[in-house]
Amino acid sequence: MGTYRQTVVDLDASAEEAVARGQRGRNWLETEGFIRPVPWQDGVAYLAGPRWREAVDLAPWDWRARIKELEEEPGDELQVVTGRTVFFAGQGDSPSAICPRCRSATSAWSGAAIDTWYSTGAADLDCPACTHRTPLTDWEWTSDYFAFAYLGFQFVDWPPLHSHFTAAFGRVLGHRIRVVTGKI
């Protein structure tokens, strides 16, 4: 079965500002009622709040959750991930990299660049079509399979996030975002 994850990745938060921006984003989600804090073991878990339905697209999800009176809610929590992270979709075919300069897609990319970025925070890819060398973080990926960043908001086992919600969240963060979705 696996765990379904959707991560709203802040593509522009630096390593130094990721924790503060993560708290700011989580505070907005809580203030707006999309999540709520729940005491859990020695800390706090952030579960679906009273307005969670406004953040998601229920149509492709569970038919029972579309009944407004039903208390069914997403099964797991929001996790704020900080630090150098390779966010990835999980299962599925290997994605193609899309050159930020010429927009051509190639499946001939090296996993070594990902390892280098994860280890050092810097790596480049060469485009076989236009031969331009560009930082790995500027590349896009088919099906938004990868994002390389220092901050992500991971919604675990939630229905699909609605595009109007992710756009509003991106405006709150004040940075470019990418939504990485998949099952691991």
Side-chain angles (χ1 to χ4, degrees), residues 109-120 122-125 136 141 148:
W109 54 273
S110 169
I114 294 172
D115 294 339
T116 300
W117 184 87
Y118 186 73
S119 298
T120 67
D124 295 329
L125 280 181
L136 180 65
W141 303 85
F148 305 89

Side-chain angles (χ1 to χ4, degrees), residues 15-77:
E16 296 76 27
E17 65 186 0
V19 171
R21 284 189 171 273
Q23 289 174 345
R24 179 177 156 205
R26 188 182 63 221
N27 289 344
W28 180 80
L29 291 168
E30 185 178 347
T31 300
E32 293 297 314
F34 296 118
I35 62 172
R36 72 183 191 283
V38 176
W40 180 251
Q41 297 175 350
D42 292 331
V44 175
Y46 291 89
L47 302 179
R51 292 183 56 207
W52 71 269
R53 283 181 174 82
E54 296 172 40
V56 300
D57 182 6
L58 291 174
W61 196 54
D62 187 354
W63 67 271
R64 294 169 298 172
R66 291 189 297 256
I67 302 169
K68 291 186 184 210
E69 294 78 31
L70 190 66
E71 294 301 318
E72 186 82 17
E73 64 182 40
D76 217 327
E77 65 182 306

Side-chain angles (χ1 to χ4, degrees), residues 3-176:
T3 300
Y4 180 63
R5 297 181 311 186
Q6 299 169 91
T7 308
V8 178
V9 180
D10 183 325
L11 297 171
D12 299 321
S14 69
E16 296 76 27
E17 65 186 0
V19 171
R21 284 189 171 273
Q23 289 174 345
R24 179 177 156 205
R26 188 182 63 221
N27 289 344
W28 180 80
L29 291 168
E30 185 178 347
T31 300
E32 293 297 314
F34 296 118
I35 62 172
R36 72 183 191 283
V38 176
W40 180 251
Q41 297 175 350
D42 292 331
V44 175
Y46 291 89
L47 302 179
R51 292 183 56 207
W52 71 269
R53 283 181 174 82
E54 296 172 40
V56 300
D57 182 6
L58 291 174
W61 196 54
D62 187 354
W63 67 271
R64 294 169 298 172
R66 291 189 297 256
I67 302 169
K68 291 186 184 210
E69 294 78 31
L70 190 66
E71 294 301 318
E72 186 82 17
E73 64 182 40
D76 217 327
E77 65 182 306
L78 166 83
Q79 299 169 351
V80 179
V81 180
T82 58
R84 188 180 310 131
T85 304
V86 177
F87 296 97
F88 64 99
Q91 300 174 358
D93 297 330
S94 180
S96 292
I98 302 168
C99 177
R101 184 172 190 205
C102 73
R103 308 298 303 157
S104 66
T106 180
S107 58
W109 54 273
S110 169
I114 294 172
D115 294 339
T116 300
W117 184 87
Y118 186 73
S119 298
T120 67
D124 295 329
L125 280 181
D126 294 319
C127 177
C130 70
T131 67
H132 190 71
R133 187 170 183 82
T134 310
L136 180 65
T137 54
D138 292 344
W139 286 72
E140 293 179 32
W141 303 85
T142 53
S143 302
D144 288 328
Y145 192 89
F146 285 121
F148 305 89
Y150 292 90
L151 175 60
F153 298 85
Q154 198 166 78
F155 295 81
V156 181
D157 283 336
W158 279 50
L161 297 175
H162 202 286
S163 60
H164 68 74
F165 166 75
T166 57
F169 194 29
R171 286 189 296 275
V172 167
L173 295 173
H175 287 159
R176 297 174 304 137

